[in-house]
């Protein structure tokens, strides 16, 4: 289940609201990007490919290596959309228990 990294993503995005336009935004964008990639990995493991667009979009928008130069208002809107994206992905994406037990046995 992708709930744990999604909840951490929601927390990071809410914290990121206060860092828009500041120097700390780089670190927050790194954390948000990483959590988006982790949720994306859970999506791949669950084989629910249609949900992969949400974490990939989050990881691309908050990519700290090639950042987007957007205004503060646009970043605020994107933060709220990312919160909805993380929350939706966290509740919908579920990795089957069979896959997890097979990986442990290997």
């Amino acid at each position: 289940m992708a709930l744990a990294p999604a909840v951490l993503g929601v927390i990071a995005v809410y914290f990121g609201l206060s860092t828009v336009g500041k120097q700390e935004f780089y670190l927050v964008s790194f954390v948000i990007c990483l959590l988006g990639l982790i949720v994306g990995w859970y999506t791949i493991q669950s084989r629910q490919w249609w949900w992969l667009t949400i974490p990939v979009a989050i990881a691309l928008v908050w990519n700290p290596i090639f950042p987007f130069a957007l205004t503060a208002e646009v970043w605020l809107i994107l933060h709220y959309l990312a919160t909805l994206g993380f929350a939706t992905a966290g509740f919908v994406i579920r990795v089957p228990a069979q896959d997890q037990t097979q990986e442990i046995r290997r």
Side-chain angles (χ1 to χ4, degrees):
M1 184 191 246
L3 186 60
V7 168
L8 290 174
V10 168
I11 293 169
V13 169
Y14 273 133
F15 180 73
L17 284 170
S18 65
T19 63
V20 172
K22 297 179 183 175
Q23 188 175 6
E24 294 85 12
F25 184 71
Y26 177 77
L27 179 63
V28 172
S29 67
F30 184 79
V31 171
I32 293 171
C33 178
L34 184 63
L35 289 169
L37 292 174
I38 291 171
V39 172
W41 179 250
Y42 277 108
T43 307
I44 291 171
Q45 286 182 337
S46 70
R47 295 188 177 109
Q48 295 176 345
W49 308 109
W50 50 92
W51 289 107
L52 192 59
T53 56
I54 293 173
V56 167
I58 291 172
L60 287 175
V61 171
W62 277 270
N63 183 2
I65 298 173
F66 300 109
F68 289 108
L70 301 173
T71 63
E73 293 83 16
V74 174
W75 277 117
L76 292 175
I77 293 169
L78 289 175
H79 273 78
Y80 287 116
L81 291 175
T83 301
L84 290 173
F86 271 127
T88 303
F91 286 114
V92 173
I93 297 169
R94 301 202 189 295
V95 178
Q98 296 171 353
D99 292 341
Q100 291 176 350
T101 56
Q102 288 176 358
E103 289 180 14
I104 292 172
R105 291 180 186 170
R106 290 183 189 172

